[in-house]
């Protein structure tokens, strides 16, 4: 695009159009890369509305992104990419009701720091706080506690800019169905611009994590495992057949830092990273690697304990370490022991004489299959929620929800050789137990699978999406693959035209707006033509 054309857009009607060209977008994990035509960073609702109105006139698709922490290709685009990092202010705090209004691009770590100034906090967090608040709710982010639901359960209302350039407010009492669709929108409905959130008084957590056998974990599953504290999460290590149970409760005691060791920090990071990389070439060492790293990190003896007292916005977080694929599914809570026992029997080749043996029923061979650990085990409960349920909510209504997260690391941005077969087996098991994939993660399930899992709820979401974006301005190849079904392509929908495995790691994706893949007119020339005629005539 010529700089003069971009300059006209940046100055017309006195509303800035903060766009640059020649930008490369990569996921945090560097799993996917794309080259948007424009990278735009609005700082007001008026600027967001201008982006949408220009995109409609220029026949462009619009994708919204925050930190890009999702390791999937959900936000790849060759069209217009909107980043809301500069749309990140706390707008109002009601110190009597603890209701907070904020711009949607604010990152969760900033939310925590700003709320702390008012003696407030978010009631729950996931494992990281790098995401924007809009990105976190749009993909169904959750923590690990039976006392809370997913993060969107704390949203009281929101504003969303739709494909016609109009910004609408919605809440349980106003535009309810739009609200339910927007709470988990996957970026396909519009651009969320403002969020009103129910905060809580700031709290401190006293936590401990204990190493023990997975048998002890299984035996306490239906009694005390997840009720012993307000927040509980588990890391299960299949090769050691042990588990680390982390629990935390609120306390008034003063902060107490984690006791460090020589292995923590840089040394442990580098040792594990290089051992994982070596295992790409000698996969059979992975069980030994995981046992060694487990012991160095958590302790070799059963009963090894670590503890600390920290503010909630620190205590609930964990370090993601390296680039990774993440395949996480929600299954009924009661199916947890069966899921982990079957996975253990499959990965460890257990025989009937082993006391932990159960028939795994997974129709994929685990011969010479060596995977990374741990499997993260987390819970949430929306079964008694009184807030509107998002149409695309993966949690269960008749019992708590269990999340199983099968992470595979990508040391030095290289893909692990076990990925395809491990995820095929893992997903077979998850589907067999009635599971649904986490929207932001790497899953192999098909669009037909998603249709079966969500049924009428997916149809309702599609109807609302189609009503507000009939041309598909916010629809891309990921949406078509998983949630748009076999309906006709939309005029502004982006289609994938090429994907290339890069030598430096990850996949580069190229797309174009539907209909342009056979056109001689490039997106750049069409944009310049519009900028040089219609825009100039209006100035």
């Amino acid at each position: 695009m010529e700089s003069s054309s971009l300059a006209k857009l940046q100055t017309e009607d006195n509303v800035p159009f903060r766009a640059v060209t020649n930008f490369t977008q990569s996921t945090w994990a560097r799993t996917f890369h794309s080259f948007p035509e424009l990278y735009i960073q609005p700082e007001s609702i008026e600027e967001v509305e201008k982006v949408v109105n220009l995109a409609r006139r220029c026949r462009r698709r619009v994708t919204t992104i925050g930190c890009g922490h999702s390791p999937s290709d959900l936000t790849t685009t060759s069209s217009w990419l909107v980043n809301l990092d500069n749309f990140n202010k706390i707008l109002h705090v009601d110190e009597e009701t603890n209701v907070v209004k904020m711009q949607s691009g604010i990152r969760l770590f900033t939310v925590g720091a700003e709320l702390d100034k008012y003696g407030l906090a978010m009631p729950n967090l996931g494992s990281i706080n790098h995401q924007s608040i809009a990105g976190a709710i749009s993909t169904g982010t959750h923590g690990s506690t039976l006392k809370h639901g997913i993060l969107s359960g704390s949203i009281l209302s929101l504003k969303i800019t739709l494909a016609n350039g109009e910004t609408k407010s919605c809440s349980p009492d106003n535009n309810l169905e739009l609200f339910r669709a927007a709470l988990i929108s996957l970026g396909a409905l519009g651009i969320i611009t403002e969020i009103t959130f129910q905060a809580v008084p700031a709290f401190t957590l006293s936590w401990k994590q204990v190493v023990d056998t997975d048998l002890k974990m299984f035996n306490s599953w239906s009694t005390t495992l997840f009720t012993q504290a307000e927040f509980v999460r588990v890391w299960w290590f299949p090769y050691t057949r042990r588990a680390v149970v982390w629990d935390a409760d609120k306390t008034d005691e003063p902060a107490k830092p984690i006791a460090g060791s020589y292995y923590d920090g840089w040394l442990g990071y580098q040792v594990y990273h290089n051992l994982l990389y070596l295992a790409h070439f000698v996969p059979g060492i992975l069980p030994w690697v995981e046992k060694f790293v487990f012991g160095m990190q958590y302790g070799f003896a059963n009963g090894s304990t670590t503890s600390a007292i920290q503010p909630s916005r620190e205590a609930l977080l964990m370090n993601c370490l390296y680039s990774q694929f993440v395949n996480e599914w929600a299954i009924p809570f009661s199916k947890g022991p069966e899921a982990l026992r079957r996975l253990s029997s499959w990965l460890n080749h257990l025989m009937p004489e082993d006391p932990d043996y159960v028939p795994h029923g997974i129709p994929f061979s685990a011969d010479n299959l060596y995977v990374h650990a741990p499997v993260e085990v987390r819970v949430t409960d929306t079964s008694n929620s009184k807030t509107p349920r998002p149409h695309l909510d993966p949690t269960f209504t008749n019992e708590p929800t269990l999340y199983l997260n099968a992470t595979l690391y990508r040391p030095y941005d290289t893909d692990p050789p076990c990925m395809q077969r491990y995820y095929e087996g893992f997903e077979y098991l998850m589907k067999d137990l009635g599971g649904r994939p986490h929207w932001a993660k790497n899953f192999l399930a098909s669009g037909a699978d998603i249709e079966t899992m969500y049924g009428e709820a997916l149809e309702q979401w599609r109807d609302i999406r189609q009503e507000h974006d009939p041309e598909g301005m916010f629809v891309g190849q990921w949406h078509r693959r998983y949630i748009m079904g076999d309906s006709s392509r939309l005029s502004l929908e982006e289609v994938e035209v090429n994907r290339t495995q890069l030598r430096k790691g990850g996949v580069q994706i190229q797309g174009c707006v539907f209909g342009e893949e056979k056109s001689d007119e490039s997106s750049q020339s069409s944009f310049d033509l519009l900028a040089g005629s219609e825009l100039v005539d209006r100035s």
Side-chain angles (χ1 to χ4, degrees):
M1 178 184 302
E2 296 176 359
S3 59
S4 60
S5 300
L6 188 55
K8 290 185 178 71
L9 293 176
Q10 290 170 334
T11 57
E12 70 155 357
D13 65 20
N14 297 316
V15 177
F17 185 72
R18 307 175 198 271
V20 298
T21 56
N22 301 318
F23 184 86
T24 301
Q25 172 61 37
S26 301
T27 60
W28 170 85
R30 299 174 298 282
T31 44
F32 291 96
H33 313 272
S34 60
F35 301 94
E37 180 187 354
L38 289 180
Y39 180 75
I40 311 163
Q41 290 190 299
E43 298 182 9
S44 68
I45 288 181
E46 291 75 19
E47 292 181 39
V48 172
E49 291 173 343
K50 178 172 181 173
V51 169
V52 171
N53 285 324
L54 285 174
R56 188 175 63 256
R57 288 157 52 192
C58 297
R59 314 309 294 162
R60 303 264 63 82
R61 181 216 173 183
V62 176
T63 305
T64 310
I65 195 167
C67 69
H69 205 274
S70 169
S72 78
D73 58 338
L74 173 60
T75 54
T76 59
T77 184
S78 296
S79 199
W80 290 11
L81 184 64
V82 174
N83 172 266
L84 299 177
D85 279 353
N86 296 333
F87 191 61
N88 61 354
K89 295 180 177 60
I90 297 288
L91 299 174
H92 180 70
V93 177
D94 188 321
E95 297 186 59
E96 291 187 3
T97 63
N98 299 337
V99 171
V100 182
K101 182 184 293 186
M102 64 193 77
Q103 292 177 324
S104 61
I106 191 169
R107 301 287 188 92
L108 295 181
F109 61 80
T110 304
V111 174
E114 291 298 311
L115 291 184
D116 196 51
K117 297 175 182 178
Y118 296 91
L120 298 175
M122 298 178 67
N124 189 20
L125 276 173
S127 296
I128 61 169
N129 62 356
H130 300 294
Q131 314 105 306
S132 67
I133 184 70
I137 67 169
S138 293
T139 52
T141 297
H142 60 91
S144 188
T145 166
L146 292 178
K147 300 290 183 67
H148 304 278
I150 60 178
L151 261 61
S152 64
S154 297
I155 306 302
L156 303 178
S157 65
L158 58 82
K159 290 182 179 179
I160 182 169
T161 301
L162 303 168
N164 63 1
E166 179 184 351
T167 299
K168 280 194 174 183
S169 298
C170 55
S171 69
D173 302 316
N174 177 33
N175 290 322
L176 172 61
E177 289 307 301
L178 178 62
F179 183 64
R180 294 180 63 202
L183 285 177
I184 299 182
S185 68
L186 303 171
L189 182 61
I191 301 177
I192 295 174
T193 52
E194 286 185 10
I195 288 172
T196 302
F197 185 89
Q198 181 64 64
V200 298
F203 57 98
T204 299
L205 289 175
S206 175
W207 63 261
K208 69 178 185 301
Q209 60 184 28
V210 181
V211 176
D212 218 315
T213 65
D214 60 6
L215 179 61
K216 184 172 181 180
M217 173 190 69
F218 293 140
N219 288 342
S220 63
W221 189 277
S222 59
T223 54
T224 61
L225 179 60
F226 289 102
T227 59
Q228 60 187 297
E230 182 172 351
F231 301 92
V232 181
R233 60 190 179 211
V234 175
W235 293 278
W236 175 67
F237 293 77
Y239 293 130
T240 63
R241 291 156 77 173
R242 294 203 292 174
V244 175
V245 178
W246 182 99
D247 69 78
D249 260 327
K250 294 172 182 173
T251 182
D252 294 326
E253 295 181 40
K256 183 183 76 173
I258 307 170
S261 74
Y262 76 94
Y263 182 77
D264 287 333
W266 182 88
L267 177 62
Y269 180 93
Q270 296 298 335
V271 168
Y272 192 29
H273 201 183
N274 285 284
L275 286 173
L276 287 171
Y277 186 68
L278 177 62
H280 277 12
F281 307 98
V282 192
I285 70 169
L286 267 176
W288 174 85
V289 168
E290 296 297 352
K291 291 175 183 178
F292 169 75
V293 171
F294 176 96
M296 294 298 292
Q297 184 68 34
Y298 300 103
F300 288 95
N302 290 337
S304 298
T305 302
T306 305
S307 63
I309 300 174
Q310 296 175 297
S312 62
R313 61 189 177 92
E314 298 175 9
L316 293 172
L317 304 181
M318 61 172 287
N319 190 340
C320 288
L321 294 178
Y322 323 110
S323 170
Q324 57 194 250
F325 291 115
V326 185
N327 196 341
E328 182 176 42
W329 284 61
I331 64 172
F333 175 79
S334 58
K335 300 288 188 180
E338 177 186 352
L340 295 177
R341 287 182 185 275
R342 288 173 64 180
L343 197 58
S344 178
S345 287
W346 183 57
L347 291 174
N348 290 315
H349 307 279
L350 298 187
M351 302 303 291
E353 56 268 23
D354 191 296
D356 288 339
Y357 168 82
V358 295
H360 60 73
I362 298 174
F364 299 95
S365 172
D367 292 343
N368 299 312
L369 176 65
Y370 301 98
V371 305
H372 302 162
V375 172
E376 188 178 26
V377 183
R378 294 184 288 170
V379 293
T380 194
D381 191 0
T382 62
S383 61
N384 296 315
S385 176
K386 295 179 173 58
T387 61
R389 189 176 188 83
H391 291 289
L392 298 184
D393 188 343
T395 62
F396 296 89
T397 59
N398 57 346
E399 65 174 284
T401 298
L402 179 76
Y403 297 91
L404 295 182
N405 180 348
T407 295
L408 289 174
Y409 294 115
R410 302 177 66 248
Y412 300 108
D413 294 347
T414 57
D415 294 348
C418 61
M419 176 181 170
Q420 184 69 24
R421 189 149 45 109
Y422 180 36
Y423 282 176
E424 284 176 341
F426 178 73
E427 291 200 16
Y428 176 89
L429 177 59
M430 295 298 98
K431 287 187 282 189
D432 191 50
L433 296 173
R436 298 168 178 166
H438 190 303
W439 291 114
K441 307 303 173 64
N442 304 102
F443 55 89
L444 308 177
S446 67
D449 292 328
I450 301 296
E451 294 260 5
T452 300
M453 294 168 188
Y454 285 88
E456 185 179 350
L458 178 58
E459 290 295 334
Q460 292 171 344
W461 180 86
R462 285 175 182 162
D463 289 344
I464 297 163
R465 203 220 65 77
Q466 184 66 19
E467 176 187 350
H468 294 289
D469 180 24
E471 292 189 292
M473 177 185 289
F474 300 103
V475 175
Q477 54 268 16
W478 186 96
H479 303 105
R480 175 59 60 182
R481 188 186 316 141
Y482 295 118
I483 57 176
M484 292 299 290
D486 56 4
S487 60
S488 299
R489 295 275 189 180
L490 305 173
S491 58
L492 294 184
E493 177 179 343
E494 186 172 1
V495 297
E496 183 178 314
V497 296
N498 188 50
R499 67 170 50 203
T500 305
Q501 184 73 47
L502 302 181
R503 292 182 61 186
K504 65 180 181 181
V507 175
Q508 176 182 317
I509 293 182
Q510 179 183 358
C512 69
V513 172
F514 179 61
E516 287 187 350
E517 70 270 31
K518 296 182 180 179
S519 172
D520 293 332
E521 180 178 303
S522 70
S523 60
Q524 176 174 323
S525 64
S526 67
F527 190 92
D528 288 345
L529 182 64
L530 179 86
S533 57
E534 181 179 346
L535 295 181
V536 172
D537 290 343
R538 294 192 330 117
S539 63

